[in-house]
Amino acid sequence: MLIKVVNPNTSREMTAVIEHAALTVAAHSTTIEAVTARMGPASIESHYDEALAVPGVLAEISGADGYVIACFGDPGLDAAREVADGPVAGIAEAAMHAAAFLGRGFTVVTTLARTAGRAWDLVDRYGMSRLCRRVRACEVPVLEIALAEKAVTEECRAAAAKDGCDAIVLGCAGMADLAARLTAELGLPVIDGVAAATLQVQSLVTMGLRTGSRHEYAPPPPKPYTGPLAEFGA
Amino acid sequence: MLIKVVNPNTSREMTAVIEHAALTVAAHSTTIEAVTARMGPASIESHYDEALAVPGVLAEISGADGYVIACFGDPGLDAAREVADGPVAGIAEAAMHAAAFLGRGFTVVTTLARTAGRAWDLVDRYGMSRLCRRVRACEVPVLEIALAEKAVTEECRAAAAKDGCDAIVLGCAGMADLAARLTAELGLPVIDGVAAATLQVQSLVTMGLRTGSRHEYAPPPPKPYTGPLAEFGA
Amino acid sequence: MLIKVVNPNTSREMTAVIEHAALTVAAHSTTIEAVTARMGPASIESHYDEALAVPGVLAEISGADGYVIACFGDPGLDAAREVADGPVAGIAEAAMHAAAFLGRGFTVVTTLARTAGRAWDLVDRYGMSRLCRRVRACEVPVLEIALAEKAVTEECRAAAAKDGCDAIVLGCAGMADLAARLTAELGLPVIDGVAAATLQVQSLVTMGLRTGSRHEYAPPPPKPYTGPLAEFGA
Amino acid sequence: MLIKVVNPNTSREMTAVIEHAALTVAAHSTTIEAVTARMGPASIESHYDEALAVPGVLAEISGADGYVIACFGDPGLDAAREVADGPVAGIAEAAMHAAAFLGRGFTVVTTLARTAGRAWDLVDRYGMSRLCRRVRACEVPVLEIALAEKAVTEECRAAAAKDGCDAIVLGCAGMADLAARLTAELGLPVIDGVAAATLQVQSLVTMGLRTGSRHEYAPPPPKPYTGPLAEFGA
Amino acid sequence: MLIKVVNPNTSREMTAVIEHAALTVAAHSTTIEAVTARMGPASIESHYDEALAVPGVLAEISGADGYVIACFGDPGLDAAREVADGPVAGIAEAAMHAAAFLGRGFTVVTTLARTAGRAWDLVDRYGMSRLCRRVRACEVPVLEIALAEKAVTEECRAAAAKDGCDAIVLGCAGMADLAARLTAELGLPVIDGVAAATLQVQSLVTMGLRTGSRHEYAPPPPKPYTGPLAEFGA
Amino acid sequence: MLIKVVNPNTSREMTAVIEHAALTVAAHSTTIEAVTARMGPASIESHYDEALAVPGVLAEISGADGYVIACFGDPGLDAAREVADGPVAGIAEAAMHAAAFLGRGFTVVTTLARTAGRAWDLVDRYGMSRLCRRVRACEVPVLEIALAEKAVTEECRAAAAKDGCDAIVLGCAGMADLAARLTAELGLPVIDGVAAATLQVQSLVTMGLRTGSRHEYAPPPPKPYTGPLAEFGA
C-alpha cells in the first residue's frame, strides 16, 4: 500500500517532520511518500495562504492508494476527494475524529490566533462542536514551530490544567514530533494529526473503502482552464 | 463609490449577465466594474473547479470601495476579506441573507445536483439551516443556464408548489436575468444574488463599514510564494 | 420610494434620533417618514413593555413601500409582515445580518441587562448563534441613552478589547448617533440597526421584493376585535 | 390554591371548553378560575391576531397562585412571567414538555396551516426540535374546531399511521375535549395542553416554585403608557 | 394511584430521604411506594456505577401506576419505559423540565465533578442546551451529601451570584431535603427532582397518559438471558 | 498488540462472525481475542436488552491493549472507558466516524425498526447529525441476520438508490460478512463497524493513545456492590 502524504506548503523542512511522523506509525507493508507542494506559499498562516495552497495540493493527488493532506486547515480536502483514486484524510479531520474516541472534550493548540477561526470552522464541519473545548494559540509562526517546543508545551500544559479537556489536538503539522513526549509528560492523550491521518487512510484502504463517488464526489466534469492554472484543466 | 463585481469563471458571456444585474439595482452614484477572472476554469461545477477558481478571484480584489464575488459557491470569500480594502459579499451569502427578511423559508434552485453539497455547506455557515427548505437542481450545466430558462422556471414552479417556501434563491449567477420575471410570474419573491450582493456592499460602504481586521481578517503576513502562483506572494 | 421608520415607543426625542440615522444613509430618491407610536409605553425595557408596544407598531404599518421597526427587540415583526404592503425589517435583524458580512463574530452592546434574554432570542431566531459572542449591557435606561455616550463607549471598548469580536452591534435605536464615531475610534465596524434596516428595506424595494405571502405571511383572516383594540379588527 | 386559566381570545364558548378541561384534572383542593380576554380578537389565527391578543392576556395576570395561558401560541408568556405573582405556563409549552416524557417523538395537530410557523417557533424555543416530528393542520378555523371532531380525528389518525410518533399534541385549546377519546381510540397518548398546563402550574405551586425574578423576569420598570393602552402603564 | 419511587442505589438512608420528598408533594389520593434497589452499587458516582445500577432499577418496574427513577443520571430510563405499565420519569429529566417553566436558564449543582459529563449528556438529550448555564460540583461523595448541607448551600449561592441563572436544579436525590430552604434563602427557585418527578408522573397518570408503545417503546421481544441476570429473561 | 473484541450478546455464532471480521483487517502483529458475554441476553433488540447486556460487556474489559464493543448500540461504552487499561471503541461509533471520511452522508441499515431510536441517539452523540441521512431497518431479528443476506442487500440497494448517501453503515455486528460484497456490488462504500472499530483501536494503540483519565473517565471510586452483581464491586 502506498500512501502519499502531501505537505501543502513549500517548506521541505516541514515535509521531513511530516514524513517522520507518518513513517513512525505506518505498517511495515505501507509505503509512505511524503511530498512538498510545488507551488504556493512558504507557510499557511491566513485564509489567503490556505486558499492559494490548494492548487499545490491538488497537483499531488494521483498515483497512490490513499492521501493525507498535512496542514491543519485541511486545504483542498473536498476537491481532493473528487479527483483521488483512493481515500483522502486531512490532519485536522483525522486528529479530531481520533480525539472523539479518547474522551468527552479536546482542546486544540495551534500556531497563530488568527487561524483559530478556521479551526472552529472545521470543528463545526466535522461535527465536533460538543467536543472542542477551546482553541489555544502559541503565537508562534508556522515555520518557527519546530523551534518553539517550549511555547507549545506551555500552552498544552495550560490546556490540561484549565480546560477540563480529556485530550489535546496539536494544531500544526510542524508539531508532529512533540505528541509522544507531551502525552507522557502531561498524562493525557496528545494527538498529532499526521499520524492520525496516516493510520486513518491506511485503515480505509485496508477495508477496501474510498470516497463514495455516485454524487457530489464524482470526478469533476472536464473543461478548459486558463492562465497559470491551465495545467489543471482538460 | 466603485464596486467591483468579480466573475470567478472565465466566461465573458456570464460576466455580461452579471454586470447587467448589478447595474440594474445600483444607485446612480455607484460605479459597477464587472471583471472576468483571468485564470482558472471556464465554469464552476465541482469542488475542484471552485478551489481552482479562487486564485483568479483573489487577483481581482483591489482598487475598489467594495467587492462582490459572483459565483454561488462564494469562492475565496474569507481570503478576499483579508486582503480587501472594503467590504466583500458573496452572492450566495447575500441572497440567503436577503431571503431571511422575506419569510420563514426559502428553496435554492441551482444548476447541477452535484453542487448541492456546497450549497448546504453555505446554508450552514451562514446560519440559514432553519430557513433553507430544499436545494433543487435543474441539471443544466453552468454555461448553458442562460439558454435554459424553461428548466429553471419549471424547477422554481415546483419549489413554489411543493416546498412550502416563502422565497426562492437562484443558485447561479447565470440565472440573474430571470429573477424579476419569476417573481412576477410565481407570486413569491425570487432572489438573484448578484443584485442582492451589489446592494449589500453598497449599503455597507454607505454606512462606512468594512470587514473588521483586528483578528482573523487582518492582512495576511507577507511571505514568498513559489511556482505559477508566485505573483501572489510578497 | 417611501420608507416608514416606526419608533415603537412614544418618545418623540428618540424618533428624532432615528429619523436622522435613516436620513443619513437613505438614497436621495428615498423618502423617510419617521413616526412615533401613538399608543403604548414611553420606552421598552421589559418583555411587558415590548408586548404592549406591538399594537402601536402595527397601527403604523400602512401607506409606504417598506417599513422599519426601530426598536432592538423587533416588536411585532411577524405580524407586521402579514399586514404590510412592502418589505419590513427590524433593527436588530438588520444589524445582525449586516454584522454577518463583516467578520466571524459580533458583540451586542445594549441598555439594560434584563433585555439580554430577548437579544439572545433574536440571535437564535436569526441564525446568528455562531456569530454572537456576547451581549453586553451598559445598565443605562433607554430614555437616558442619548446622554450616556460615555457608558456606551466604554462598553464598546471593552467588547473590542476582550470579546475577540470583529464587529459591534448597537443594541438600542437611541444609540444610532454613535455608530460612526465609535467605528472610527475603536477601529472595528460598529453597526447601527436603524441605518442597516433602512438600507435593507431600500435594497429589497429596489429589487422589487417583499415578504412572500403564499403561506404563513398571507393577510390575516378578518374578524371582530373587542375593547380598546377594536380598531384593529374587521 | 387558585389557578387562573386565561382564554386569550374573546370567545366564551371556547372558555367553557377550557374550563372543563382544567377542572377535569385539577386536584380537589385547587380552584380553577377560567376567564375570557376582555379585549382583542375573537379568535387567534395569525401572528397579527396573536400579537393583539397579548394585552387581553396581560390584563388577567393577577390575583391567583398560578396562571395558564390557554392558546397554543402561548401569547404573552414572557411578559406574563414578569408580572405574575406565581408560576405561568402556556398550553403549547406544557403539552410539548408532557410529550417529552411519553416517547421519542410527537406530532402536533393544529387548526390552520398558516399557524404552523408559530408552532415550529415554539418547538425550537422549548428545546423540542429533536422531538417534534411534524406539525399537521386540519384547515379548520379556530371557532369551528369544536364542531370538527371528524377532521381532527382523521388528522390524528394520519399522524399515528405515518409519522412514527409516540404521542400527539393537540394544537388548539378548542380541541381539549377530544384528548381522552383519541388516546383510547388511537392507542397512543394524545395530549391536551390545557390539562397539561393546569397540572404543571399546580405542581409548581405545590413545590413552592415560581419564575425566578432576579434577572430578566424581574417586575418591569414602571412608566407612563399612552393611548388605548394607558391602563397598562404606571 | 400508586407511584413507585425507585432508589437506584442500595442505600436505605437515601431511600428515606427520597420517600419523604415524594410524600411531601404527592396528592392525598396518591400512594407513594419508595423502594431500594436490591442489587448494584451502594452509590452512583461513575458511568460504571450507573450502568451497573440499571438491573436493580429494572427489577422494580412493575406493579404500580407510574414510576420515578430517583437518581440524577436517570439510569435505565429508556428500558424502564419499554417494560413499565404506566408513565416513567427520571429526576434529572423532571427537574430540568420543571426549570424550563421558571426562567431562561438554570444551573445544576451536583456531587462530584466527574459526573458532570453525564449531566451534560442529559441536558442535551432533554433539549435543555440553551437553558443549562453551568453544572457545578460540590465534590462531596453521594452518601455524604446529606451531611454536606453547607457545601451544597455554598455552591448554590455561587450559582445564584455568578451564573445569571433564574433557577437551580439539585443534581442528586440526596439533596431533596434542601430545596425548600434554599429556595427561600436564595430568592430563586431551587428544584428537587424527586418532587418534580413524582408530580410529573402523578400528572401524567391523572391525564390518563403513558409512554407510547407503538414503536420504539413496545414491550421487548422475550428471549433467554444467561448467568446472574437470567431472572430478567423469558 | 492484543485487542479484545467483545460480543455483548451470548450467541457464539455471532462471536465467530465478529472474530472473522476483526481478523480480516488486523495487522499481522495484532492478536485478536474475540469473547462472548458470559451473562445477559441472547440478542440485543431493545433498550431493555441493551441495558442488561452491559454487565456482561464490563466483565470482559481487562487484560488487553485495547477493546472493541461489537454491538451497534455500543452498550457500556462510557463505563468501559473508565475501567479499561487501553482505548475502547464501539462499532457504531467507529463505523460512523469512518463514514465521515468517505463522503457527505451515510445511511444506516439495521435490523429492527424499534432500534432506530438508539441509532439516532448515537448519531447525535457522535456529532453525526449532518451526516446521517436515514436509518433503515430490514425487520430481521438479530440472530437471523446471518441468514438474511437478501433482505440486507435489498435495503442497502434502496439506500443507494434513494437516500443520496455516499456511504452505507451496517447496523449490526451480524452483518459484518456482507460489507465487502456490498461495497463491490453497489458501487459505494459499505462499512462494517467491527472492522472499523478493530482498526481504530489498533491505530490508537499504535499512536500510544488511550482514554484521557484526568476527569470523567478516571477509574471509578471503589465501593460495595450487592446481589447478583456483587462481583463488580470492591
Side-chain angles (χ1 to χ4, degrees), chain B residues 43-100:
Chain B
S43 66
I44 298 178
E45 298 175 321
S46 62
H47 292 294
Y48 181 83
D49 289 344
E50 188 176 306
L52 292 163
V54 171
V57 170
L58 297 180
E60 301 297 339
I61 305 296
S62 72
D65 296 300
Y67 304 86
V68 169
I69 299 176
C71 165
F72 201 75
D74 294 351
L77 184 56
D78 275 325
R81 282 188 172 139
E82 286 177 331
V83 296
D85 39 353
V88 186
I91 66 168
E93 185 187 34
M96 293 186 198
H97 280 285

Side-chain angles (χ1 to χ4, degrees), chain A residues 32-215:
Chain A
I32 297 297
E33 181 188 357
V35 297
T36 309
R38 283 171 288 133
M39 64 185 92
S43 66
I44 299 178
E45 299 174 322
S46 62
H47 292 294
Y48 182 82
D49 289 343
E50 189 177 306
L52 291 163
V54 171
V57 170
L58 297 180
E60 302 296 339
I61 305 296
S62 71
D65 296 299
Y67 303 86
V68 169
I69 300 178
C71 165
F72 200 76
D74 294 351
L77 184 56
D78 274 325
R81 283 190 172 137
E82 286 176 331
V83 295
D85 39 354
V88 187
I91 65 168
E93 186 187 33
M96 292 185 197
H97 280 284
F101 288 86
L102 298 170
R104 186 174 293 275
F106 62 79
T107 284
V108 174
V109 173
T110 190
T111 54
L112 301 180
R114 67 174 296 151
T115 67
R118 176 67 180 163
W120 282 111
D121 274 350
L122 296 180
V123 162
D124 187 62
R125 157 126 200 218
Y126 301 144
M128 303 287 163
S129 300
R130 274 205 294 261
L131 282 166
C132 187
R133 292 288 156 86
R134 189 164 168 177
V135 177
R136 287 173 172 271
C138 305
E139 292 300 357
V140 173
V142 167
L143 295 185
E144 296 171 26
I145 202 71
L147 306 169
E149 193 165 340
K150 197 175 150 196
V152 176
T153 301
E154 270 169 30
E155 205 62 35
C156 287
R157 199 180 299 281
K162 298 182 191 163
D163 300 354
C165 57
D166 291 321
I168 290 174
V169 165
L170 296 178
C172 178
M175 299 177 183
D177 278 352
L178 309 179
R181 185 181 59 69
L182 287 169
T183 294
E185 203 169 307
L186 299 180
L188 91 179
V190 177
I191 304 163
D192 158 42
V194 179
T198 300
L199 288 168
Q200 183 67 53
V201 168
Q202 182 181 279
S203 294
L204 293 169
V205 174
T206 298
M207 289 188 281
L209 302 172
R210 44 160 298 183
T211 311
S213 60
R214 293 168 62 111
H215 306 290

Side-chain angles (χ1 to χ4, degrees), chain C residues 4-200:
Chain C
K4 209 165 172 181
V5 182
V6 183
N7 173 13
N9 74 32
T10 60
S11 157
R12 291 179 196 284
E13 291 74 14
M14 190 166 288
T15 309
V17 172
I18 289 166
E19 181 173 32
H20 181 253
L23 283 170
T24 302
V25 296
H28 293 302
S29 54
T30 298
T31 302
I32 298 297
E33 181 188 357
V35 297
T36 309
R38 282 170 289 133
M39 64 184 91
S43 65
I44 298 178
E45 299 173 322
S46 61
H47 292 294
Y48 182 82
D49 289 344
E50 189 177 305
L52 292 162
V54 171
V57 170
L58 296 180
E60 302 296 339
I61 304 297
S62 72
D65 296 299
Y67 303 86
V68 170
I69 300 177
C71 165
F72 201 76
D74 294 351
L77 183 56
D78 274 325
R81 284 188 172 139
E82 287 176 331
V83 296
D85 39 353
V88 187
I91 65 168
E93 186 187 33
M96 291 185 198
H97 280 284
F101 288 87
L102 297 169
R104 186 174 295 274
F106 61 79
T107 284
V108 174
V109 173
T110 189
T111 54
L112 301 180
R114 68 173 296 152
T115 68
R118 176 67 179 164
W120 281 111
D121 275 351
L122 297 180
V123 162
D124 186 61
R125 158 127 200 218
Y126 300 144
M128 302 287 163
S129 300
R130 274 205 292 262
L131 281 165
C132 187
R133 294 286 158 87
R134 190 164 167 176
V135 177
R136 288 172 171 272
C138 306
E139 291 301 356
V140 173
V142 166
L143 296 184
E144 296 171 25
I145 202 71
L147 306 169
E149 193 165 338
K150 197 177 150 195
V152 177
T153 301
E154 271 169 29
E155 205 62 34
C156 288
R157 199 179 300 279
K162 298 182 194 165
D163 300 355
C165 58
D166 290 321
I168 291 173
V169 165
L170 296 177
C172 178
M175 299 176 183
D177 278 354
L178 309 179
R181 185 182 58 69
L182 287 168
T183 295
E185 204 170 306
L186 299 180
L188 90 180
V190 178
I191 304 164
D192 158 43
V194 179
T198 301
L199 288 169
Q200 183 68 51

